[in-house]
Amino acid sequence: FTGDFATLAANPHLFNDLSYNSAKDFVSVGLYARYPILLVVSSQVPANNLEEFLKWAKANPNATFASSGIGSPQHLAAELFRERTGLKMTHVAYRGGAPAVLDLLAGTVSFALMDASTIVPQMKSGRLKILGVASAQRIKNLPDVPTLDEQGLKGFEAFAWQGLLVPTGTPKETVETLNKALSEVLKTKEVADYFAGIVVDPWFSSPGDMAAFVAKENARWGQIIRSQGITLQ
């Protein structure tokens, strides 16, 4: 079954009464998808790059930013962004990415750190501007959009992700067989084309590398959740 940013990295810090223990109940099989996150602003915001946006944002502390929900990857990425930049903007949580993007298009909210799969289909409207990519490298679908790191926010990286899990106690041989099958599936043209169409990066890892990555993400986002006092209780 699938494990992702929410179930493995965020929810353990957002809820006190989860029905599972993310560190003990599952064994990692392998990562398979990475969802790039973009800094996007309403066309009404007079900024075309990170420097111009930060200058505008600091002069407009009552401006708002959107997310697809409290504790979502988009919300936590924006909280990390606020922490790194010192911005004092107000969070507006939506029930999903689609309504958040609609209000961005309308200019009701000023900006968001939103996953590319939600934003890119709206680019042709001309009512959104993508100012940067919150990845270590530029993404294939938007090769002309610089990373936030390139624009001066050094080391900034945030993205959503998914991987495969099995229950603890699953034989190691089964885990290895599933990991090999996952690797083969990700190499197929059908999967590559599908991922490209929804602006998602295929991302294969070994079971061990996934386990290490999940532990790192859990600690990283747990710190952000605690420091910002975020809760879903």
Side-chain angles (χ1 to χ4, degrees):
F1 53 92
T2 295
D4 60 12
F5 180 105
T7 55
L8 299 176
N11 286 356
H13 305 283
L14 293 168
F15 297 95
N16 293 323
D17 57 352
L18 284 179
S19 60
Y20 62 89
N21 184 315
S22 63
K24 297 180 179 180
D25 294 346
F26 313 125
V27 171
S28 296
V29 172
L31 293 161
Y32 64 82
R34 174 164 39 195
Y35 296 74
I37 288 179
L38 312 172
L39 172 61
V40 58
V41 300
S42 161
S43 60
Q44 297 178 27
V45 174
N48 294 297
N49 55 48
L50 178 63
E51 181 180 6
E52 293 176 358
F53 172 72
L54 293 178
K55 182 178 179 180
W56 173 86
K58 289 173 182 177
N60 293 271
N62 294 324
T64 54
F65 71 91
S67 82
S68 58
I70 296 174
S72 65
Q74 298 82 4
H75 175 207
L76 297 183
E79 293 291 354
L80 177 63
F81 183 75
R82 284 206 298 180
E83 185 177 274
R84 288 288 307 276
T85 60
L87 296 183
K88 304 298 182 183
M89 294 179 139
T90 301
H91 176 218
V92 180
Y94 291 81
R95 292 186 176 182
V101 172
L102 286 176
D103 271 8
L104 271 171
L105 290 166
T108 305
V109 287
S110 300
F111 85 101
L113 277 144
M114 191 65 64
D115 55 286
S117 58
T118 302
I119 292 296
V120 170
Q122 306 294 338
M123 286 180 59
K124 294 180 181 179
S125 70
R127 290 184 288 166
L128 292 176
K129 292 184 286 186
I130 297 174
L131 304 188
V133 179
S135 298
Q137 294 88 31
R138 298 189 186 197
I139 61 175
K140 293 180 181 179
N141 299 72
L142 301 167
D144 296 328
V145 178
T147 67
L148 296 178
D149 178 273
E150 287 179 70
Q151 297 181 72
L153 199 58
K154 295 301 181 183
F156 187 91
E157 186 175 16
F159 53 89
W161 45 268
Q162 288 184 322
L164 289 183
L165 302 168
V166 291
T168 296
T170 300
K172 183 178 180 181
E173 294 77 11
T174 301
V175 173
E176 292 173 348
T177 298
L178 290 171
N179 180 262
K180 183 177 179 180
L182 178 63
S183 174
E184 294 302 317
V185 167
L186 290 175
K187 293 175 183 176
T188 64
K189 184 177 184 301
E190 291 80 3
V191 170
D193 289 347
Y194 174 72
F195 277 11
I198 60 173
V199 200
V200 171
D201 296 328
W203 188 31
F204 174 71
S205 80
S206 68
D209 285 348
M210 177 180 172
F213 172 77
V214 168
K216 183 178 178 180
E217 285 282 276
N218 184 290
R220 180 191 189 199
W221 297 110
Q223 187 277 325
I224 294 294
I225 289 167
R226 290 189 297 274
S227 68
Q228 299 300 322
I230 302 167
T231 181
L232 285 175
Q233 295 300 128

